[in-house]
Amino acid sequence: MSIILTNISKNFGKFAALNHINLEIPEGELVALLGPSGCGKTTLLRIIAGLEQADSGRVVLNGEDKTEQHVSHRGIGFVFQHYALFRHMTVFDNIAFGLRVKPKKHRPGEADITQKVHALLELVQLDWLHDRFPDQLSGGQRQRIALARALAVEPDVLLLDEPFGALDASVRKDLRQWLRNLHHELNVTSIFVTHDQEEAMEVASQVVVLNHGRIEQQGAPSDIYDHPANAFVSRFIGQTNVFSGDDQDTIWLQSSGLPINDKPGKTAHVRPHDIDVEKASDEASAHAVLKDWQHLGALIRIELVKNAADADNATVYAEMPNEQFKRLQLNRGDKVSLRIRNAHWFH
Amino acid sequence: MRKSYIMPGFKPTLGFTLVYLCLIVLIPLSTLFFKSMELSAEDFFNIITHKRVVASFRVSFTTALVAASIASIFGFIIAWTFVRYSFPGKRLLDALIDLPFALPTAVAGIVLATIYQPNGLIGQWLMQGFGVQVAYKPLGIVVALIFISLPFVVRTVEPVLQEFDSSMEEAAASLGASRLQVFVKIIFPNIFPALLTGFALAFARGIGEYGSVIFIAGNLPYVSEIVPLMIVTRLEQYDIPGATAIALTMLLISFVMLLVINLLQLWVRKRSGQL
């Protein structure tokens, strides 16, 4: 089911949480709403769900205007950050809830409900917990039960509010993969909110970057990473080195091999992996001094200090594979020459 | 197995608890027991099965039950209003709730009797409009007991409602539940144990209440005489064993009823995974 939002605005007092949002989400996508805290992403999700009312704008789900409709009639499944499981009910009753509150003529029989709940429990691989209460489960288990509960009513759209926010790192990694697979299996249009860019890039098929109540960019993860629309997106997604673009920096960049014909913007953003590092053969070809490095697993992050007369002492980061770094046999304080392959210019 | 506590002092605090309970609760109540032992079993039985005494038991327990039930409903609504909404004058109203705690109960009784008597402020309106007489009837006792016991319900339900996770409501609504279903299936079961506690407190208070009731009840034998009044009457006639016999019986019935309510509460909590 497709989702179309037109001109959504929402104010909390004088604070504009959402500012004329226009967004179109095609059917079957797994979309991440990504942004720093306070950017309005959760508010937007709650407006789509009907848990919050927009001050202006329309919410159209599958071609139907649902702006005025109550949350219970929107055909959405919502997964809350803190699970919001019914703590007075067993896991089984939690999942069965959505089926049991259906109007009599649509309500399945108790046998069908039992069958369906067990099927869902198997889908989330937790059938053995069906008679436990939520308080007896771990965080990851609760989140999966919450998801099964939302899926029980066969929603047209699945909305997840920071689904992995309250979980520890290793559980989070597993669940990300699992959510991706589940989406492949069910193919229900899904939107999840996150402030973790890694999570968004890893799980989503489409990423929507929000900041200060506005959409900064929408696109596939690789698009957003390779072609950031503006300085905010470039800085928010992945690591980046920011150069001011004054004469000094420009000369330094140029000498480091970056071709600059009539400067296309005020600041240059360079990804750490777009910088090649070599041991400097002589004083003249040295662009920087190696200050320190860190192991990031397969990659090494190198901290460099620009080797220029009265340069600001800002650190420049470069990244290279572990093996390559070993071959270079670099030590702290070594003079290095650089080659900058690519930069994004922004105003 | 060695248990470690962050705060030391299990032994002195337990000792204090036991001494305190003995001095304040157990010893006075056991004198009640021993005093009534002065009676033969037959006399004891005759006293407590005297028609007028049995009638007073009926009046006391039914009015206390009815009043506690009504106070539970009203108390729940009041607590709900205070927790869920903010409105001007809320703090003032909030302070008003506790007033029955502070007011001498006799004062409450006199005021209620004045207002609810057949030509009183509200009483005449009820009398003319509906033909209902409140004061000097069992209904008057119920009114007095509701007044006395309302804060117990409000103050026990309020904190639980405050802590109630409202995202559970949102989750239920997103699953298609109507507002009524959200209330009946989600909110109420979570509040019920606290409401039961409030009910038990209100009920216990209602059974023991004397001051406010005697002014509004009219104290007609067989109709609106409460057990505490029977006890006081006996005492005034220097029939101390008779008074203790009735008191002991009342104590036992109350204890059993409160025990049942506690067990019910335990059962509810167990069934809903809160234990």
Side-chain angles (χ1 to χ4, degrees):
Chain A
M1 188 150 104
S2 65
I3 301 167
I4 299 170
L5 305 177
T6 44
N7 213 15
I8 299 273
S9 289
K10 175 82 180 173
N11 298 299
F12 293 114
K14 284 214 172 125
F15 174 70
L18 294 173
N19 209 336
H20 302 285
I21 296 277
N22 289 295
L23 182 60
E24 209 164 308
I25 292 167
E27 178 158 354
E29 296 279 348
L30 176 55
V31 177
L33 290 181
L34 174 67
S37 39
C39 73
K41 53 195 192 298
T42 294
T43 309
L44 188 61
L45 195 77
R46 289 173 63 86
I47 286 173
I48 299 172
L51 293 169
E52 206 112 32
Q53 290 299 320
D55 296 340
S56 69
R58 325 273 337 147
V59 177
V60 178
L61 305 180
N62 209 19
E64 255 181 89
D65 190 329
K66 301 244 178 182
T67 315
E68 309 294 334
Q69 229 162 19
H70 189 247
V71 51
S72 58
H73 295 114
R74 288 205 183 186
I76 53 109
F78 202 99
V79 176
F80 293 81
Q81 184 178 3
H82 297 289
Y83 328 120
L85 292 175
F86 308 133
R87 49 188 301 246
H88 60 292
M89 294 183 191
T90 60
V91 163
F92 183 96
D93 290 336
N94 262 281
I95 299 174
F97 183 84
L99 301 170
R100 286 181 177 153
V101 297
K102 277 184 196 275
K104 255 221 169 79
K105 55 180 179 197
H106 300 300
R107 196 185 305 160
E110 202 54 35
D112 291 340
I113 290 178
T114 307
Q115 200 187 355
K116 178 143 198 195
V117 171
H118 282 297
L120 281 162
L121 275 167
E122 244 140 60
L123 182 73
V124 299
Q125 298 149 12
L126 291 175
D127 201 22
W128 53 289
L129 290 174
H130 65 97
D131 58 351
R132 303 281 183 90
F133 284 96
D135 285 354
Q136 301 166 319
L137 307 182
S138 74
Q141 290 168 341
R142 283 184 217 182
Q143 193 58 287
R144 283 192 276 166
I145 296 300
L147 196 65
R149 183 179 68 177
L151 289 172
V153 291
E154 295 177 10
D156 299 315
V157 179
L158 189 61
L159 305 171
L160 306 105
D161 184 12
E162 304 242 7
F164 314 124
L167 302 171
D168 57 65
S170 69
V171 179
R172 201 146 73 192
K173 267 214 151 66
D174 289 347
L175 274 184
R176 279 182 201 167
Q177 203 59 45
W178 179 79
L179 178 67
R180 225 187 129 79
N181 294 340
L182 190 78
H183 181 259
H184 267 294
E185 216 169 302
L186 302 173
N187 211 33
V188 53
T189 312
S190 309
I191 305 179
F192 73 98
V193 156
T194 180
H195 59 259
D196 181 346
Q197 48 98 10
E198 228 176 273
E199 188 170 291
M201 304 298 269
E202 186 181 327
V203 179
S205 62
Q206 285 256 316
V207 177
V208 178
V209 184
L210 281 155
N211 190 30
H212 292 309
R214 291 175 184 280
I215 293 178
E216 300 281 356
Q217 193 174 2
Q218 177 184 5
S222 57
D223 267 357
I224 290 191
Y225 189 83
D226 293 339
H227 309 289
N230 53 42
F232 171 80
V233 176
S234 163
R235 225 179 313 197
F236 194 71
I237 308 283
Q239 278 252 331
T240 194
N241 294 299
V242 180
F243 298 99
S244 68
D246 56 21
D247 288 344
Q248 223 167 53
D249 268 356
T250 313
I251 293 165
W252 186 82
L253 285 170
Q254 240 162 352
S255 73
S256 307
L258 187 72
I260 305 172
N261 324 313
D262 61 335
K263 238 187 319 175
K266 270 201 200 122
T267 58
H269 289 206
V270 179
R271 298 279 189 208
H273 54 76
D274 281 334
I275 302 178
D276 287 341
V277 181
E278 290 274 346
K279 214 168 199 166
S281 48
D282 55 64
E283 197 72 25
S285 65
H287 304 117
V289 174
L290 188 141
K291 193 168 112 194
D292 205 352
W293 68 84
Q294 293 108 35
H295 281 266
L296 308 177
L299 289 176
I300 299 284
R301 180 165 60 205
I302 306 164
E303 290 181 20
L304 304 163
V305 180
K306 278 180 276 186
N307 189 16
D310 54 85
D312 50 17
N313 280 326
T315 308
V316 176
Y317 293 98
E319 277 172 12
M320 65 170 72
N322 218 333
E323 288 302 310
Q324 193 185 338
F325 183 73
K326 272 184 196 148
R327 246 180 284 128
L328 287 174
Q329 293 186 316
L330 288 167
N331 289 310
R332 287 186 186 85
D334 278 358
K335 294 194 163 63
V336 291
S337 69
L338 307 178
R339 202 172 69 82
I340 296 175
R341 281 180 275 125
N342 193 13
H344 291 109
W345 290 88
F346 300 106
H347 288 283
Chain B
M1 198 169 67
R2 244 194 80 151
K3 274 192 183 172
S4 71
Y5 298 95
I6 290 168
M7 291 290 287
F10 170 68
K11 279 173 192 162
T13 47
L14 180 70
F16 175 81
T17 306
L18 288 179
V19 169
Y20 176 87
L21 279 178
C22 281
L23 282 179
I24 305 293
V25 183
L26 216 55
I27 293 175
L29 289 185
S30 58
T31 16
L32 195 66
F33 183 72
F34 287 120
K35 198 79 196 172
S36 65
M37 283 289 112
E38 288 173 12
L39 293 163
S40 68
E42 201 188 338
D43 284 344
F44 186 94
F45 187 74
N46 283 338
I47 291 170
I48 62 164
T49 52
H50 187 279
K51 262 191 182 161
R52 205 168 146 185
V53 175
V54 172
S56 74
F57 272 117
R58 207 185 51 232
V59 170
S60 264
F61 282 101
T62 46
T63 50
L65 269 175
V66 171
S69 310
I70 296 174
S72 298
I73 298 168
F74 288 166
F76 180 80
I77 296 172
I78 292 171
W80 177 271
T81 315
F82 280 151
V83 171
R84 288 298 170 111
Y85 309 104
S86 61
F87 47 89
K90 178 168 154 176
R91 286 189 176 269
L92 200 72
L93 281 181
D94 198 40
L96 224 55
I97 296 288
D98 293 327
L99 224 51
F101 277 149
L103 201 65
T105 50
V107 176
I110 294 167
V111 170
L112 287 171
T114 316
I115 292 176
Y116 281 101
Q117 65 176 322
N119 48 11
L121 199 62
I122 301 174
Q124 61 177 343
W125 174 69
L126 285 172
M127 194 72 204
Q128 285 159 9
F130 307 95
V132 178
Q133 188 188 337
V134 178
Y136 315 131
K137 293 268 182 186
L139 190 56
I141 305 177
V142 172
V143 170
L145 293 186
I146 293 173
F147 176 84
I148 295 299
S149 55
L150 196 62
F152 289 99
V153 180
V154 177
R155 293 302 180 223
T156 45
V157 172
E158 225 176 4
V160 179
L161 261 179
Q162 237 147 19
E163 272 176 38
F164 181 75
D165 177 11
S166 59
S167 66
M168 277 203 273
E169 286 168 58
E170 292 182 338
S174 77
L175 291 166
S178 67
R179 288 180 172 94
L180 184 68
Q181 283 171 325
V182 172
F183 183 80
V184 172
K185 293 185 178 238
I186 305 299
I187 299 172
F188 191 72
N190 277 285
I191 306 301
F192 188 60
L195 195 61
L196 215 53
T197 307
F199 175 84
L201 288 173
F203 176 65
R205 181 80 174 84
I207 291 172
E209 177 60 15
Y210 175 74
S212 65
V213 173
I214 49 160
F215 288 99
I216 197 172
N219 307 325
L220 288 170
Y222 302 104
V223 179
S224 57
E225 248 180 354
I226 55 167
V227 180
L229 180 67
M230 297 301 296
I231 297 169
V232 171
T233 316
R234 302 263 157 160
L235 285 177
E236 277 170 351
Q237 294 160 355
Y238 299 104
D239 178 9
I240 293 172
T244 48
I246 300 172
L248 188 67
T249 313
M250 183 166 115
L251 199 69
L252 285 176
I253 299 176
S254 306
F255 183 73
V256 169
M257 293 186 93
L258 288 175
L259 198 68
V260 168
I261 294 173
N262 268 328
L263 288 175
L264 182 66
Q265 203 175 25
L266 197 73
W267 178 74
V268 168
R269 274 176 203 261
K270 259 213 178 108
R271 217 182 57 126
S272 62
Q274 289 175 35
L275 273 182

